[in-house]
Amino acid sequence: MVQRSGSRPWRDFTRTVLEAIDSLPTNPLIHRLRDPRRNVRWLLTHRFPYRIVYQLRGDVIIVFAVIHAARHEREWKGRVLNR
């Protein structure tokens, strides 16, 4: 059965992801460096098994993907800009 866009699980998921992204500017370096050459890090959400893949470019945080934790790295590596 397909969930309607206004269903509670989707709202909870969206809220969780947006709160995690909003927390990044507080301390973006706290998360482990996953790809040192391209300065890529990721944040795992607490409630859902998703990674928020991001890159630091000076004072700017660029989010490249919100991807299920079970997905292979190749799913996000093609989206990241090279330095």
Side-chain angles (χ1 to χ4, degrees):
M1 184 169 123
V2 176
Q3 296 286 331
R4 298 167 84 185
S5 62
S7 69
R8 184 175 166 87
W10 285 106
R11 283 194 312 245
D12 292 346
F13 173 76
T14 302
R15 185 177 308 121
T16 299
V17 169
L18 291 177
E19 286 173 358
I21 291 171
D22 287 345
S23 75
L24 285 175
T26 304
N27 192 352
L29 298 175
I30 198 168
H31 305 288
R32 192 174 79 138
L33 200 56
R34 301 295 178 150
D35 186 339
R37 188 174 56 92
R38 295 186 280 186
N39 199 24
V40 172
R41 299 168 188 272
W42 72 55
L43 159 66
L44 293 171
T45 61
H46 293 287
R47 186 165 174 204
F48 297 94
Y50 279 79
R51 294 180 276 188
I52 298 168
V53 181
Y54 68 98
Q55 183 183 56
L56 295 173
R57 292 194 147 218
D59 293 340
V60 177
I61 300 169
I62 302 168
V63 175
F64 286 96
V66 176
I67 190 166
H68 194 277
R71 291 286 190 181
H72 193 276
E73 286 189 8
R74 71 178 164 262
E75 296 290 331
W76 60 264
K77 282 192 172 187
R79 303 178 192 187
V80 177
L81 299 174
N82 291 321
R83 287 196 123 180

